[in-house]
Tab-separated table of all heavy atoms in Angstrom:
chain	number	residue	atom	x	y	z
A	213	SER	N	-10.396	-85.903	1.500
A	213	SER	CA	-11.060	-85.195	2.598
A	213	SER	C	-10.135	-84.988	3.795
A	213	SER	O	-10.413	-84.137	4.652
A	213	SER	CB	-12.326	-85.920	3.017
A	213	SER	OG	-12.029	-87.195	3.526
A	214	PHE	N	-9.043	-85.735	3.845
A	214	PHE	CA	-8.102	-85.614	4.956
A	214	PHE	C	-6.978	-84.610	4.677
A	214	PHE	O	-6.164	-84.319	5.540
A	214	PHE	CB	-7.493	-86.971	5.292
A	214	PHE	CG	-8.496	-87.957	5.813
A	214	PHE	CD1	-9.023	-88.931	4.976
A	214	PHE	CD2	-8.918	-87.914	7.124
A	214	PHE	CE1	-9.954	-89.845	5.449
A	214	PHE	CE2	-9.846	-88.820	7.609
A	214	PHE	CZ	-10.368	-89.789	6.758
A	215	TYR	N	-6.919	-84.103	3.445
A	215	TYR	CA	-5.806	-83.242	3.061
A	215	TYR	C	-6.130	-81.764	3.268
A	215	TYR	O	-7.231	-81.311	2.939
A	215	TYR	CB	-5.458	-83.435	1.585
A	215	TYR	CG	-4.998	-84.814	1.204
A	215	TYR	CD1	-5.221	-85.309	-0.081
A	215	TYR	CD2	-4.316	-85.637	2.097
A	215	TYR	CE1	-4.797	-86.576	-0.449
A	215	TYR	CE2	-3.887	-86.898	1.732
A	215	TYR	CZ	-4.133	-87.368	0.456
A	215	TYR	OH	-3.709	-88.615	0.091
A	216	ASN	N	-5.157	-81.036	3.781
A	216	ASN	CA	-5.190	-79.591	3.676
A	216	ASN	C	-4.744	-79.226	2.259
A	216	ASN	O	-3.818	-79.835	1.731
A	216	ASN	CB	-4.262	-78.944	4.693
A	216	ASN	CG	-4.646	-79.281	6.114
A	216	ASN	OD1	-5.822	-79.402	6.453
A	216	ASN	ND2	-3.649	-79.451	6.971
A	217	MET	N	-5.389	-78.248	1.664
A	217	MET	CA	-5.104	-77.884	0.275
A	217	MET	C	-4.734	-76.409	0.182
A	217	MET	O	-5.178	-75.588	0.997
A	217	MET	CB	-6.331	-78.144	-0.614
A	217	MET	CG	-6.822	-79.575	-0.647
A	217	MET	SD	-5.624	-80.708	-1.386
A	217	MET	CE	-5.399	-80.011	-3.016
A	218	ALA	N	-3.954	-76.086	-0.840
A	218	ALA	CA	-3.542	-74.694	-1.020
A	218	ALA	C	-3.442	-74.361	-2.502
A	218	ALA	O	-3.248	-75.249	-3.343
A	218	ALA	CB	-2.206	-74.431	-0.344
A	219	TRP	N	-3.577	-73.082	-2.793
A	219	TRP	CA	-3.294	-72.539	-4.115
A	219	TRP	C	-2.089	-71.605	-3.984
A	219	TRP	O	-2.019	-70.786	-3.055
A	219	TRP	CB	-4.478	-71.743	-4.651
A	219	TRP	CG	-5.614	-72.574	-5.151
A	219	TRP	CD1	-6.741	-72.919	-4.473
A	219	TRP	CD2	-5.722	-73.174	-6.444
A	219	TRP	NE1	-7.562	-73.696	-5.261
A	219	TRP	CE2	-6.960	-73.872	-6.493
A	219	TRP	CE3	-4.922	-73.191	-7.589
A	219	TRP	CZ2	-7.399	-74.565	-7.605
A	219	TRP	CZ3	-5.358	-73.881	-8.705
A	219	TRP	CH2	-6.584	-74.555	-8.704
A	220	TYR	N	-1.173	-71.759	-4.934
A	220	TYR	CA	-0.019	-70.883	-5.033
A	220	TYR	C	-0.020	-70.273	-6.435
A	220	TYR	O	-0.727	-70.752	-7.341
A	220	TYR	CB	1.285	-71.664	-4.846
A	220	TYR	CG	1.619	-72.020	-3.430
A	220	TYR	CD1	0.934	-73.022	-2.758
A	220	TYR	CD2	2.642	-71.346	-2.757
A	220	TYR	CE1	1.251	-73.348	-1.447
A	220	TYR	CE2	2.970	-71.675	-1.453
A	220	TYR	CZ	2.275	-72.671	-0.805
A	220	TYR	OH	2.597	-72.991	0.490
A	221	ARG	N	0.792	-69.250	-6.601
A	221	ARG	CA	0.975	-68.693	-7.942
A	221	ARG	C	2.415	-68.215	-8.098
A	221	ARG	O	3.097	-67.914	-7.122
A	221	ARG	CB	0.011	-67.536	-8.207
A	221	ARG	CG	0.238	-66.292	-7.358
A	221	ARG	CD	-0.872	-65.274	-7.607
A	221	ARG	NE	-0.693	-64.055	-6.826
A	221	ARG	CZ	-1.583	-63.070	-6.753
A	221	ARG	NH1	-2.712	-63.157	-7.443
A	221	ARG	NH2	-1.336	-62.010	-6.023
A	222	GLN	N	2.832	-68.167	-9.351
A	222	GLN	CA	4.163	-67.647	-9.655
A	222	GLN	C	4.091	-66.824	-10.924
A	222	GLN	O	3.708	-67.337	-11.988
A	222	GLN	CB	5.189	-68.767	-9.818
A	222	GLN	CG	6.609	-68.232	-9.973
A	222	GLN	CD	7.653	-69.296	-9.740
A	222	GLN	OE1	7.417	-70.479	-9.926
A	222	GLN	NE2	8.834	-68.869	-9.308
A	223	ALA	N	4.439	-65.559	-10.784
A	223	ALA	CA	4.494	-64.657	-11.922
A	223	ALA	C	5.922	-64.611	-12.451
A	223	ALA	O	6.871	-64.883	-11.708
A	223	ALA	CB	4.038	-63.265	-11.506
A	224	PRO	N	6.102	-64.259	-13.710
A	224	PRO	CA	7.454	-64.188	-14.279
A	224	PRO	C	8.353	-63.271	-13.455
A	224	PRO	O	7.984	-62.140	-13.144
A	224	PRO	CB	7.214	-63.624	-15.678
A	224	PRO	CG	5.825	-64.009	-16.011
A	224	PRO	CD	5.065	-63.950	-14.709
A	225	GLY	N	9.511	-63.778	-13.088
A	225	GLY	CA	10.473	-62.981	-12.345
A	225	GLY	C	10.154	-62.790	-10.880
A	225	GLY	O	10.860	-62.049	-10.189
A	226	LYS	N	9.093	-63.432	-10.403
A	226	LYS	CA	8.710	-63.278	-9.000
A	226	LYS	C	8.761	-64.619	-8.280
A	226	LYS	O	8.772	-65.679	-8.907
A	226	LYS	CB	7.296	-62.683	-8.902
A	226	LYS	CG	7.187	-61.267	-9.430
A	226	LYS	CD	5.810	-60.694	-9.163
A	226	LYS	CE	5.704	-59.252	-9.647
A	226	LYS	NZ	4.353	-58.679	-9.375
A	227	ARG	N	8.780	-64.543	-6.950
A	227	ARG	CA	8.820	-65.754	-6.148
A	227	ARG	C	7.446	-66.413	-6.095
A	227	ARG	O	6.416	-65.770	-6.301
A	227	ARG	CB	9.298	-65.413	-4.741
A	227	ARG	CG	10.691	-64.812	-4.693
A	227	ARG	CD	11.110	-64.502	-3.266
A	227	ARG	NE	11.305	-65.716	-2.482
A	227	ARG	CZ	11.742	-65.716	-1.236
A	227	ARG	NH1	12.007	-64.578	-0.621
A	227	ARG	NH2	11.901	-66.840	-0.584
A	228	HIS	N	7.493	-67.693	-5.778
A	228	HIS	CA	6.259	-68.426	-5.525
A	228	HIS	C	5.512	-67.752	-4.375
A	228	HIS	O	6.116	-67.410	-3.360
A	228	HIS	CB	6.625	-69.859	-5.097
A	228	HIS	CG	5.972	-70.911	-5.909
A	228	HIS	ND1	6.166	-72.253	-5.657
A	228	HIS	CD2	5.125	-70.860	-6.947
A	228	HIS	CE1	5.480	-72.971	-6.525
A	228	HIS	NE2	4.848	-72.144	-7.323
A	229	GLU	N	4.206	-67.582	-4.532
A	229	GLU	CA	3.407	-66.894	-3.516
A	229	GLU	C	2.208	-67.762	-3.146
A	229	GLU	O	1.471	-68.218	-4.038
A	229	GLU	CB	2.905	-65.547	-4.046
A	229	GLU	CG	1.969	-64.807	-3.110
A	229	GLU	CD	1.334	-63.581	-3.731
A	229	GLU	OE1	1.280	-63.488	-4.974
A	229	GLU	OE2	0.876	-62.706	-2.966
A	230	ARG	N	2.020	-67.979	-1.843
A	230	ARG	CA	0.821	-68.688	-1.417
A	230	ARG	C	-0.375	-67.754	-1.541
A	230	ARG	O	-0.342	-66.639	-1.030
A	230	ARG	CB	0.948	-69.161	0.022
A	230	ARG	CG	-0.255	-69.964	0.511
A	230	ARG	CD	-0.220	-70.186	2.020
A	230	ARG	NE	-0.350	-68.925	2.731
A	230	ARG	CZ	-1.510	-68.333	3.008
A	230	ARG	NH1	-2.645	-68.861	2.594
A	230	ARG	NH2	-1.550	-67.193	3.686
A	231	VAL	N	-1.415	-68.208	-2.201
A	231	VAL	CA	-2.586	-67.384	-2.451
A	231	VAL	C	-3.659	-67.641	-1.398
A	231	VAL	O	-4.217	-66.704	-0.805
A	231	VAL	CB	-3.154	-67.656	-3.855
A	231	VAL	CG1	-4.445	-66.897	-4.080
A	231	VAL	CG2	-2.118	-67.301	-4.923
A	232	ALA	N	-3.957	-68.910	-1.166
A	232	ALA	CA	-5.025	-69.275	-0.238
A	232	ALA	C	-4.855	-70.718	0.164
A	232	ALA	O	-4.259	-71.510	-0.583
A	232	ALA	CB	-6.399	-69.067	-0.874
A	233	ASP	N	-5.378	-71.074	1.335
A	233	ASP	CA	-5.395	-72.471	1.710
A	233	ASP	C	-6.664	-72.787	2.478
A	233	ASP	O	-7.352	-71.905	2.994
A	233	ASP	CB	-4.135	-72.869	2.485
A	233	ASP	CG	-3.890	-72.016	3.705
A	233	ASP	OD1	-4.734	-72.045	4.622
A	233	ASP	OD2	-2.860	-71.320	3.743
A	234	ILE	N	-6.973	-74.078	2.508
A	234	ILE	CA	-8.173	-74.556	3.190
A	234	ILE	C	-7.823	-75.862	3.889
A	234	ILE	O	-7.243	-76.766	3.290
A	234	ILE	CB	-9.353	-74.733	2.197
A	234	ILE	CG1	-10.627	-75.134	2.931
A	234	ILE	CG2	-9.017	-75.713	1.071
A	234	ILE	CD1	-11.883	-75.009	2.065
A	235	THR	N	-8.146	-75.923	5.165
A	235	THR	CA	-7.833	-77.130	5.919
A	235	THR	C	-8.879	-78.203	5.646
A	235	THR	O	-9.908	-77.955	5.003
A	235	THR	CB	-7.804	-76.829	7.426
A	235	THR	OG1	-9.123	-76.476	7.848
A	235	THR	CG2	-6.828	-75.696	7.745
A	236	ARG	N	-8.631	-79.382	6.173
A	236	ARG	CA	-9.564	-80.473	5.927
A	236	ARG	C	-10.903	-80.228	6.596
A	236	ARG	O	-11.914	-80.813	6.186
A	236	ARG	CB	-8.972	-81.796	6.369
A	236	ARG	CG	-8.600	-81.867	7.828
A	236	ARG	CD	-7.889	-83.193	8.098
A	236	ARG	NE	-7.620	-83.386	9.514
A	236	ARG	CZ	-7.007	-84.474	10.001
A	236	ARG	NH1	-6.604	-85.425	9.177
A	236	ARG	NH2	-6.797	-84.586	11.284
A	237	ASP	N	-10.930	-79.359	7.624
A	237	ASP	CA	-12.221	-79.054	8.254
A	237	ASP	C	-12.847	-77.772	7.694
A	237	ASP	O	-13.861	-77.305	8.203
A	237	ASP	CB	-12.082	-78.946	9.776
A	237	ASP	CG	-11.196	-77.794	10.205
A	237	ASP	OD1	-10.672	-77.077	9.343
A	237	ASP	OD2	-11.023	-77.618	11.436
A	238	GLY	N	-12.240	-77.210	6.638
A	238	GLY	CA	-12.844	-76.087	5.940
A	238	GLY	C	-12.393	-74.711	6.375
A	238	GLY	O	-12.897	-73.699	5.861
A	239	THR	N	-11.418	-74.622	7.263
A	239	THR	CA	-10.901	-73.314	7.662
A	239	THR	C	-10.041	-72.737	6.536
A	239	THR	O	-9.196	-73.430	5.984
A	239	THR	CB	-10.068	-73.433	8.939
A	239	THR	OG1	-10.885	-73.991	9.978
A	239	THR	CG2	-9.542	-72.083	9.378
A	240	THR	N	-10.277	-71.474	6.229
A	240	THR	CA	-9.587	-70.850	5.100
A	240	THR	C	-8.687	-69.702	5.551
A	240	THR	O	-8.913	-69.091	6.602
A	240	THR	CB	-10.589	-70.301	4.081
A	240	THR	OG1	-11.428	-69.332	4.717
A	240	THR	CG2	-11.459	-71.412	3.510
A	241	SER	N	-7.671	-69.434	4.757
A	241	SER	CA	-6.844	-68.245	4.961
A	241	SER	C	-6.359	-67.755	3.605
A	241	SER	O	-6.289	-68.542	2.646
A	241	SER	CB	-5.668	-68.526	5.897
A	241	SER	OG	-4.794	-69.466	5.316
A	242	TYR	N	-6.021	-66.451	3.542
A	242	TYR	CA	-5.705	-65.818	2.266
A	242	TYR	C	-4.501	-64.898	2.392
A	242	TYR	O	-4.255	-64.312	3.448
A	242	TYR	CB	-6.903	-64.990	1.783
A	242	TYR	CG	-8.143	-65.797	1.541
A	242	TYR	CD1	-9.078	-65.999	2.552
A	242	TYR	CD2	-8.378	-66.373	0.299
A	242	TYR	CE1	-10.211	-66.762	2.342
A	242	TYR	CE2	-9.511	-67.133	0.074
A	242	TYR	CZ	-10.428	-67.316	1.097
A	242	TYR	OH	-11.552	-68.076	0.871
A	243	ALA	N	-3.800	-64.752	1.276
A	243	ALA	CA	-2.775	-63.726	1.204
A	243	ALA	C	-3.462	-62.358	1.257
A	243	ALA	O	-4.587	-62.196	0.772
A	243	ALA	CB	-1.987	-63.862	-0.092
A	244	VAL	N	-2.768	-61.390	1.817
A	244	VAL	CA	-3.330	-60.044	1.930
A	244	VAL	C	-3.701	-59.491	0.559
A	244	VAL	O	-4.717	-58.814	0.389
A	244	VAL	CB	-2.324	-59.108	2.639
A	244	VAL	CG1	-2.786	-57.666	2.578
A	244	VAL	CG2	-2.137	-59.544	4.086
A	245	SER	N	-2.905	-59.832	-0.437
A	245	SER	CA	-3.099	-59.282	-1.778
A	245	SER	C	-4.384	-59.743	-2.445
A	245	SER	O	-4.846	-59.116	-3.410
A	245	SER	CB	-1.904	-59.630	-2.666
A	245	SER	OG	-1.730	-61.032	-2.728
A	246	VAL	N	-4.988	-60.838	-1.958
A	246	VAL	CA	-6.188	-61.369	-2.600
A	246	VAL	C	-7.397	-61.404	-1.680
A	246	VAL	O	-8.511	-61.701	-2.135
A	246	VAL	CB	-5.945	-62.782	-3.176
A	246	VAL	CG1	-4.722	-62.785	-4.082
A	246	VAL	CG2	-5.815	-63.826	-2.084
A	247	LYS	N	-7.197	-61.108	-0.423
A	247	LYS	CA	-8.287	-61.197	0.545
A	247	LYS	C	-9.436	-60.278	0.147
A	247	LYS	O	-9.225	-59.120	-0.202
A	247	LYS	CB	-7.782	-60.848	1.941
A	247	LYS	CG	-8.685	-61.318	3.061
A	247	LYS	CD	-7.996	-61.206	4.403
A	247	LYS	CE	-8.840	-61.831	5.496
A	247	LYS	NZ	-8.161	-61.796	6.812
A	248	GLY	N	-10.638	-60.831	0.197
A	248	GLY	CA	-11.818	-60.078	-0.214
A	248	GLY	C	-12.161	-60.205	-1.684
A	248	GLY	O	-13.253	-59.828	-2.110
A	249	ARG	N	-11.224	-60.736	-2.479
A	249	ARG	CA	-11.463	-60.902	-3.920
A	249	ARG	C	-11.492	-62.381	-4.333
A	249	ARG	O	-12.219	-62.742	-5.262
A	249	ARG	CB	-10.368	-60.190	-4.727
A	249	ARG	CG	-10.265	-58.710	-4.473
A	249	ARG	CD	-9.283	-58.047	-5.434
A	249	ARG	NE	-7.919	-58.546	-5.270
A	249	ARG	CZ	-7.202	-59.112	-6.240
A	249	ARG	NH1	-7.734	-59.278	-7.444
A	249	ARG	NH2	-5.962	-59.511	-6.016
A	250	PHE	N	-10.702	-63.204	-3.654
A	250	PHE	CA	-10.620	-64.624	-3.979
A	250	PHE	C	-11.306	-65.446	-2.892
A	250	PHE	O	-11.278	-65.081	-1.711
A	250	PHE	CB	-9.165	-65.082	-4.068
A	250	PHE	CG	-8.391	-64.555	-5.254
A	250	PHE	CD1	-8.882	-63.540	-6.060
A	250	PHE	CD2	-7.143	-65.086	-5.554
A	250	PHE	CE1	-8.165	-63.058	-7.134
A	250	PHE	CE2	-6.413	-64.620	-6.634
A	250	PHE	CZ	-6.921	-63.602	-7.417
A	251	THR	N	-11.869	-66.584	-3.309
A	251	THR	CA	-12.486	-67.510	-2.363
A	251	THR	C	-12.050	-68.933	-2.680
A	251	THR	O	-12.212	-69.396	-3.812
A	251	THR	CB	-14.021	-67.429	-2.430
A	251	THR	OG1	-14.445	-66.081	-2.171
A	251	THR	CG2	-14.656	-68.354	-1.404
A	252	ILE	N	-11.506	-69.605	-1.678
A	252	ILE	CA	-11.124	-71.006	-1.823
A	252	ILE	C	-12.226	-71.861	-1.208
A	252	ILE	O	-12.813	-71.505	-0.186
A	252	ILE	CB	-9.755	-71.288	-1.169
A	252	ILE	CG1	-9.266	-72.694	-1.487
A	252	ILE	CG2	-9.796	-71.041	0.342
A	252	ILE	CD1	-7.829	-72.970	-1.040
A	253	SER	N	-12.516	-72.987	-1.867
A	253	SER	CA	-13.528	-73.901	-1.352
A	253	SER	C	-13.162	-75.309	-1.775
A	253	SER	O	-12.258	-75.517	-2.602
A	253	SER	CB	-14.923	-73.516	-1.861
A	253	SER	OG	-14.980	-73.604	-3.282
A	254	ARG	N	-13.863	-76.265	-1.223
A	254	ARG	CA	-13.594	-77.661	-1.566
A	254	ARG	C	-14.877	-78.453	-1.610
A	254	ARG	O	-15.855	-78.128	-0.923
A	254	ARG	CB	-12.604	-78.265	-0.567
A	254	ARG	CG	-13.139	-78.408	0.846
A	254	ARG	CD	-12.011	-78.794	1.816
A	254	ARG	NE	-11.438	-80.091	1.472
A	254	ARG	CZ	-10.216	-80.484	1.838
A	254	ARG	NH1	-9.441	-79.672	2.539
A	254	ARG	NH2	-9.783	-81.684	1.516
A	255	ASP	N	-14.867	-79.509	-2.420
A	255	ASP	CA	-15.974	-80.462	-2.507
A	255	ASP	C	-15.371	-81.843	-2.291
A	255	ASP	O	-14.753	-82.405	-3.204
A	255	ASP	CB	-16.660	-80.352	-3.871
A	255	ASP	CG	-17.907	-81.220	-3.962
A	255	ASP	OD1	-18.000	-82.224	-3.232
A	255	ASP	OD2	-18.781	-80.895	-4.784
A	256	ASN	N	-15.545	-82.382	-1.107
A	256	ASN	CA	-14.926	-83.663	-0.784
A	256	ASN	C	-15.556	-84.824	-1.558
A	256	ASN	O	-14.917	-85.857	-1.754
A	256	ASN	CB	-15.015	-83.923	0.714
A	256	ASN	CG	-14.109	-83.007	1.515
A	256	ASN	OD1	-13.138	-82.447	0.987
A	256	ASN	ND2	-14.422	-82.819	2.785
A	257	ASP	N	-16.789	-84.658	-2.017
A	257	ASP	CA	-17.420	-85.710	-2.818
A	257	ASP	C	-16.806	-85.790	-4.208
A	257	ASP	O	-16.829	-86.847	-4.844
A	257	ASP	CB	-18.918	-85.464	-2.926
A	257	ASP	CG	-19.631	-85.668	-1.602
A	257	ASP	OD1	-19.119	-86.446	-0.758
A	257	ASP	OD2	-20.696	-85.057	-1.390
A	258	LYS	N	-16.273	-84.669	-4.684
A	258	LYS	CA	-15.670	-84.615	-6.019
A	258	LYS	C	-14.148	-84.595	-5.970
A	258	LYS	O	-13.494	-84.478	-7.016
A	258	LYS	CB	-16.181	-83.382	-6.771
A	258	LYS	CG	-17.677	-83.422	-7.055
A	258	LYS	CD	-18.119	-82.203	-7.854
A	258	LYS	CE	-19.610	-82.273	-8.161
A	258	LYS	NZ	-20.085	-81.092	-8.930
A	259	ASN	N	-13.563	-84.689	-4.776
A	259	ASN	CA	-12.095	-84.643	-4.626
A	259	ASN	C	-11.508	-83.421	-5.333
A	259	ASN	O	-10.480	-83.514	-6.016
A	259	ASN	CB	-11.452	-85.915	-5.187
A	259	ASN	CG	-11.711	-87.138	-4.334
A	259	ASN	OD1	-12.387	-87.062	-3.314
A	259	ASN	ND2	-11.196	-88.279	-4.762
């Protein structure tokens, strides 16, 4: 529950790309390429 978390992705031949992240208080941000299509969430009870 104290950790900020993020999702990244890497396609063949491409650089690592940050997709989305969520802070420990639930604030989210997204890469432009996925905004409106992807949703990051967390369940602190399930880690």
Side-chain angles (χ1 to χ4, degrees):
S213 64
F214 295 100
Y215 298 151
N216 299 324
M217 301 295 302
W219 284 97
Y220 283 74
R221 66 186 181 187
Q222 187 164 26
K226 295 186 178 180
R227 299 180 68 176
H228 234 181
E229 175 188 21
R230 182 191 65 84
V231 175
D233 55 63
I234 184 167
T235 66
R236 59 186 186 180
D237 64 359
T239 302
T240 59
S241 64
Y242 299 91
V244 171
S245 58
V246 307
K247 198 168 187 177
R249 300 187 297 122
F250 290 12
T251 303
I252 188 172
S253 62
R254 67 190 297 158
D255 186 335
N256 290 339
D257 291 334
K258 295 182 179 179
N259 289 1

